[in-house]
C-alpha cells in the first residue's frame, strides 16, 4: 500500500505555508504520509480530478483560483462551503468526495485558544470588511449566536453580505463610532494593517470596555490596531492562529489524527514569515 497523500491545489501555490504546517504535523505524529504542492492551471483541473482516485489522494486544500471551480468535480459540499460559496478543503466520506470550508473553524479555533470562554458573555460583534475573511468571521460568529454588524468601505458589499447571512446589518465605515460602544468583539477583516498597506484607523476610545480586538492580518503579527488596543487594556487576537487552526479539520479527515496547534508550530511559522518578509 502506498503512503497516504494529501495536496494543496492552486496556481500558483509555491508560496503556500500549508506544506510546512501539515509537514510539521505529519512528523509530530509519526505518520508516514505526504502533503504535496500541486500547481494546477485552470485548464488542467479536469485532468487532475480525472486521475484523482488512481493518484491515491486522500484529499487536500484548495486555493486561488480554484475555490469555486472545484465544486462540479465533488459529490457534495458541506454547509460552510455552501454558505461561504467557496471550497478550501476536500476529503472522502465513504465513497463520496466532499468539499468543505474551514476558514470559519480557523477563525473560531484561534479565538477559543487565545481567549478561552470568550463567547460565554459576548453578544455583539462588529466586523470591518466584506471580503473572504469577513465572510468566514461572520459565518463563524453567527454559529456562536452573536449579533453581527458588518462595516465596509463599499457599503453595498457589507449590505449584500448581511442579507446573504440573514439577521445581520451592513453599514459604511462611518457607522463605526456608534457601533463600537456596544461591541464585545471587534474584528478587522480588511487588508488594512498588512505590511505595505495603510494601517486601519479606528477610534478605539469609543470601543466598549473589555471588548476583544481580533485582527485577521498576520504579517505583521502585531498590527497597529492590536498594539493600540493592547495599550488600552483590550484583549487581542492576531491572525496567525486562524491560518493554523483552519488546517486542523483537513488533517484530521485525511490522516485520522486531530493535530494540535503548538507553540513550537507557531514559532516555526513566525520564523518563516520573518525570514521571507523583511519588516514583518
Ligand atoms: P478581500 O479582497 O476579499 O477583501 C478585502 C477587504 O478589505 C474588503 O472589505 C475591502 O473593502 C477592504 N479594503 C481593502 N483596502 C481598503 C482600504 N484602503 N480602505 C478600506 N477598506 C479596504 O480580501 P480577504 O477578505 O480575502 O483578505 C483580507 C485580509 O485578511 C488579507 O490581508 C488576508 O491576508 C487576510 N486573511 C487572513 C487569513 C488568516 O488565516 N489569518 C485568512 C484569509 C485572509 P472594499 O469591499 O471596499 O474593497
Amino acid at each position: 500500500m502506498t503512503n497516504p497523500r494529501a495536496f494543496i491545489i492552486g496556481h500558483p501555490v509555491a508560496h503556500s505555508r500549508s506544506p510546512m504546517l501539515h509537514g510539521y504535523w505529519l512528523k509530530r505524529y509519526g505518520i508516514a504520509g505526504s502533503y504535496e504542492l500541486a500547481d494546477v492551471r485552470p485548464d488542467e483541473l479536469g485532468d487532475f480530478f480525472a486521475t484523482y482516485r488512481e493518484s491515491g489522494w486522500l484529499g487536500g486544500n484548495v486555493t486561488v483560483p480554484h475555490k469555486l471551480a472545484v465544486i462540479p468535480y465533488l459529490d457534495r459540499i458541506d454547509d460552510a462551503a455552501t454558505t461561504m460559496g467557496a471550497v478550501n478543503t476536500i476529503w472522502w466520506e465513504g465513497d463520496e468526495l466532499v468539499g468543505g470550508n474551514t476558514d470559519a473553524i480557523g477563525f473560531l479555533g484561534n479565538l477559543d485558544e487565545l481567549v478561552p470562554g470568550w463567547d460565554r458573555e459576548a453578544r455583539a460583534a462588529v466586523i470591518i470588511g466584506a471580503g473572504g475573511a469577513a465572510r468566514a468571521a461572520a459565518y463563524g460568529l453567527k454559529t456562536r449566536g452573536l449579533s453581527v454588524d458588518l462595516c465596509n468601505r463599499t457599503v453595498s458589499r457589507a449590505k449584500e453580505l448581511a442579507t446573504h447571512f440573514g439577521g445581520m446589518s451592513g453599514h459604511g465605515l462611518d457607522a463605526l463610532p456608534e457601533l463600537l460602544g456596544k461591541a464585545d468583539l471587534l474584528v478587522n477583516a480588511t487588508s488594512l494593517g498588512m505590511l505595505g498597506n495603510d494601517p486601519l484607523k479606528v477610534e478605539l476610545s469609543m470601543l466598549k470596555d473589555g471588548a476583544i480586538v481580533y485582527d485577521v492580518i498576520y504579517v505583521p503579527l502585531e498590527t497597529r490596531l492590536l498594539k493600540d488596543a493592547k495599550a488600552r487594556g483590550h484583549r487581542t487576537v492576531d491572525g496567525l492562529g486562524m491560518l493554523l487552526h483552519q488546517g486542523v479539520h483537513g488533517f484530521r479527515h485525511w490522516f485520522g489524527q486531530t493535530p494540535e496547534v503548538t507553540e513550537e508550530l507557531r514559532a516555526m511559522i513566525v520564523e518563516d514569515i520573518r525570514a521571507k518578509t523583511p519588516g514583518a
Side-chain angles (χ1 to χ4, degrees):
M1 203 183 119
T2 54
N3 284 340
R5 304 171 72 197
F7 58 79
I8 175 161
I9 41 169
H11 183 70
V13 275
H15 63 282
S16 171
R17 291 202 167 84
S18 292
M20 188 180 275
L21 171 67
H22 293 288
Y24 169 84
W25 283 330
L26 285 169
K27 195 163 163 219
R28 179 175 166 90
Y29 298 106
I31 298 169
S34 63
Y35 183 93
E36 304 168 29
L37 283 176
D39 193 323
V40 175
R41 289 195 317 262
D43 62 319
E44 296 169 332
L45 199 59
D47 291 344
F48 180 82
F49 280 98
T51 57
Y52 194 96
R53 276 175 196 268
E54 67 201 57
S55 302
W57 295 122
L58 293 178
N61 289 121
V62 182
T63 187
V64 179
H66 302 314
K67 287 185 172 199
L68 265 174
V70 295
I71 294 175
Y73 300 103
L74 306 172
D75 296 307
R76 183 167 75 77
I77 61 172
D78 75 1
D79 285 348
T82 306
T83 309
M84 295 211 257
V87 166
N88 75 349
T89 306
I90 294 175
W91 65 87
W92 288 107
E93 270 181 32
D95 205 32
E96 276 191 329
L97 199 53
V98 181
N101 192 307
T102 62
D103 283 342
I105 297 175
F107 176 87
L108 291 174
N110 187 29
L111 194 48
D112 289 339
E113 184 195 336
L114 297 184
V115 192
W118 68 274
D119 56 350
R120 276 199 291 272
E121 291 184 355
R123 298 282 170 270
V126 171
I127 298 172
I128 310 177
R135 204 170 257 259
Y139 178 71
L141 293 174
K142 188 177 177 184
T143 64
R144 295 289 178 93
L146 271 81
S147 83
V148 176
D149 285 286
L150 293 155
C151 296
N152 194 44
R153 174 178 63 179
T154 310
V155 191
S156 57
R157 290 188 79 197
K159 287 191 186 288
E160 273 163 35
L161 201 54
T163 306
H164 173 76
F165 283 116
M168 296 183 189
S169 306
H171 316 265
L173 297 174
D174 56 344
L176 270 173
E178 196 187 324
L179 293 170
L180 290 176
K182 59 169 187 135
D184 299 300
L185 173 65
L186 171 67
V187 181
N188 173 35
T190 71
S191 42
L192 290 175
M194 199 165 84
L195 193 72
N197 289 356
D198 290 335
L200 173 70
K201 294 194 185 101
V202 178
E203 193 37 81
L204 287 175
S205 61
M206 309 291 279
L207 185 60
K208 185 173 170 180
D209 285 345
I212 301 163
V213 179
Y214 189 147
D215 202 328
V216 301
I217 302 289
Y218 56 89
V219 182
L221 266 180
E222 189 173 59
T223 58
R224 170 90 154 274
L225 172 71
L226 293 188
K227 225 175 253 175
D228 291 350
K230 209 177 265 178
R232 301 189 73 89
H234 293 282
R235 289 164 296 172
T236 59
V237 177
D238 66 60
L240 181 60
M242 177 174 173
L243 180 77
L244 306 179
H245 278 276
Q246 64 75 30
V248 168
H249 201 60
F251 192 90
R252 178 169 58 77
H253 275 299
W254 312 321
F255 301 114
Q257 165 86 44
T258 302
E260 222 185 317
V261 174
T262 60
E263 269 311 311
E264 184 186 37
L265 171 61
R266 208 179 144 86
M268 191 177 89
I269 303 284
V270 168
E271 195 179 313
D272 183 65
I273 291 173
R274 293 202 168 125
K276 292 183 183 149
T277 334

